[in-house]
Amino acid sequence: MYRIILLFLIFGSFIVTYADSAIQTDWSGGQGLSGPVSEWSNRFYIAISINWSIPGDIMLHFPAEQTIDEDFWGGSVYSEDIDSDGDMDVLGAGDYNITWWENTDGSGTSWTEHIIDGDFDGARSVYSADINGDGYMDVLGAANVASTITWWENSDTSPGIYWTEHTVDGYFNGARSVYSEDIDGDGDMDILGAAYYDDDITWWENIDGSGTSWIEHNISGDFDGATSIYSEDIDSDGDMDVLGAAEKADDITWWENANGSGTSWIEHTVDVNFCGAASVYSEDIDGDGDMDVLGASFIDWDITWWENINGSGTSWVEHIIFGGFKGTHSVYSEDLDGDGDMDVLGAAWTDNDITWWENMNGLGTSWTEHTVDGDFSWAWSVYSEDIDGDGNMDILGAAWYNGITWWKPDTYPSGGSLESSILNAQGDPYWDYLDWNSQTPPGTSVSFQVRASDDSNNMGAWSDTLTSPCLLESILNDGDRYVQYMAILETSNPDATPTLNDVTISWDLTEIGDGEYPAILALLPFLPNPASAPVARFSLPEPASVEISVFDLSGRLVSEIHGDEYSQGDHDVLLGDFSPGIYFCRMISGDFTAIQRFVVIK
């Protein structure tokens, strides 16, 4: 008899209603929608350390992210131990500000902001070096609007607290980039700059090593749209040469320090067709012992390195690492994975992206892309340093609309959360069930908190943490029409993340408190369906004894609840833990028999 009924159910027609439930299976529409909404769709309210960019799932953000200052309009980022306490602090240039953030406990989780100069108009570049040779790290800046190259002297009594300003050049039109190196080989630090409107690549000689007297030396005065400067020994002759990127000229060039004193220069072109050259850097990418050159192209969207073929910088072979990095604006190199070869990092303004490319064979001819943050609005600058002091290199980024942030490239954060939009149940709900489906590798977990209210502007306190799907009747107040959930993802394993696939909240629309009870005896459709922990729902017009039985597809009885007495009204019964599959629930009460199908997924 049961098998006949089952065959009819399997091959017959089924209508499953979701009128009194809401399910969210996609969050890729992004955050910011507080609600109320009539359906969750693919939006939500807010997330912390959660990646929602993959349609259909959410997981912990990889890599682990730590915001230093979300309100800083950052054009440049750098790292140095400014307060001489043994850990790495962070510097930023943006808008009118040259700022440093104190790494308060050395772990990179707590920061104190210190403004060095809040009136540095058009701050575009920041760097740090010991300019006056007193053992404390000073700070350098380039201001595009003020057309100024400046350095600030760090106090030797209270490092990082008191600063003395020294103007190096107040007429460097369109100052875009600043750097420091011992160009003349006399043992003290000189200063280099790139001026966008003057088309200049220049260095200033630190005359007496105190940083109070400077002599200007122009390296090139026709480098059209000079935007980036760096220094390295390109020809391996023991003195420091200079590299530049020219945005208007589409040019990557290096100048040979011909006599080692910085007074005679020989120009060598690396690439004259690098459209919108925005950034230049140098590193030994192929591990052959000589210095290669890297560039970022704002117009070509390229992250590129040029191989120094003979080690003298006179012959170059171009290698494009990635050719679709839209609005690429910054390039840097560091061994991020600790395998002994140099990887490459980039920031893309249009793509809102911080990315690093893994040097797979150590030769720079095979690369694997790793997105660090694909939602870092107007990413402008990228750098790398060991921020938390664990011996591994971290990643720093500056963005005009996302501030200053750092990431650990090889770990997940220990936890994250996502708050849904507020949902309007559009009636007076009798709350049924919270269900979700997730993958939880060892050491990870997914849990929830919920809350409901009759006032969407005052949702009240969150519930206790719910670690498994459950009934909501004793958690939420019936009749509160607005509901919201918080998904909590946690891991004790930095190499693993839980993944949330979907979440469902179900309810019945009733007239709460009207004294009316169901007019019919019924086994109601399963909601949600599919579910990971199924709940049988039935209504009784009067008190009655009810028997619940569950069968699998073969007709085998797998669970049974015998003859319990239930009061008049609506009831939810948690059936237990089942393996994934299709099941049938039979309800018997007196002469009444009904069957409903349900599906279990994990």
Side-chain angles (χ1 to χ4, degrees), residues 281-487:
Y281 191 71
S282 181
E283 186 53 79
D284 182 8
I285 297 297
D286 53 5
D288 64 353
D290 55 49
M291 302 306 292
D292 306 303
V293 173
L294 296 108
S297 163
F298 187 76
I299 296 175
D300 277 346
W301 303 345
D302 285 349
I303 293 288
T304 297
W305 75 280
W306 293 267
E307 181 181 354
N308 190 348
I309 297 297
N310 55 13
S312 66
T314 57
S315 178
W316 301 92
V317 172
E318 179 182 15
H319 302 272
I320 296 176
I321 297 172
F322 189 69
F325 205 47
K326 295 180 182 178
T328 180
H329 198 272
S330 178
V331 67
Y332 191 72
S333 181
E334 183 56 76
D335 181 9
L336 288 174
D337 52 7
D339 64 353
D341 54 47
M342 302 306 295
D343 308 302
V344 172
L345 304 94
W349 168 277
T350 309
D351 269 349
N352 304 318
D353 203 343
I354 298 288
T355 290
W356 74 279
W357 291 269
E358 182 180 356
N359 191 348
M360 298 301 294
N361 57 8
L363 303 175
T365 57
S366 177
W367 301 90
T368 296
E369 180 181 10
H370 302 277
T371 298
V372 178
D373 194 330
D375 192 35
F376 197 55
S377 297
W378 290 29
W380 191 266
S381 177
V382 67
Y383 189 68
S384 181
E385 185 53 79
D386 180 10
I387 298 298
D388 56 0
D390 67 352
N392 301 314
M393 299 304 293
D394 306 309
I395 296 171
L396 281 154
W400 282 108
Y401 293 138
N402 246 2
I404 304 285
T405 295
W406 74 278
W407 300 266
K408 289 193 68 61
D410 56 350
T411 60
Y412 289 100
S414 60
S417 62
L418 179 145
E419 293 182 27
S420 72
S421 303
I422 297 169
L423 183 77
N424 185 352
Q426 302 181 19
D428 293 322
Y430 177 86
W431 297 108
D432 277 346
Y433 199 69
L434 169 69
D435 190 31
W436 68 85
N437 294 289
S438 61
Q439 285 80 51
T440 53
T444 73
S445 66
V446 173
S447 57
F448 277 80
Q449 292 179 327
V450 292
R451 60 184 178 181
S453 173
D454 253 342
D455 181 0
S456 62
N457 294 314
N458 183 17
M459 290 298 293
W462 291 100
S463 70
D464 292 339
T465 301
L466 309 171
T467 57
S468 61
C470 61
L471 298 173
L472 293 173
E473 58 185 1
S474 62
I475 299 172
L476 301 179
N477 292 324
D478 294 330
D480 287 346
R481 68 170 54 202
Y482 299 106
V483 66
Q484 187 180 24
Y485 70 79
M486 180 193 298

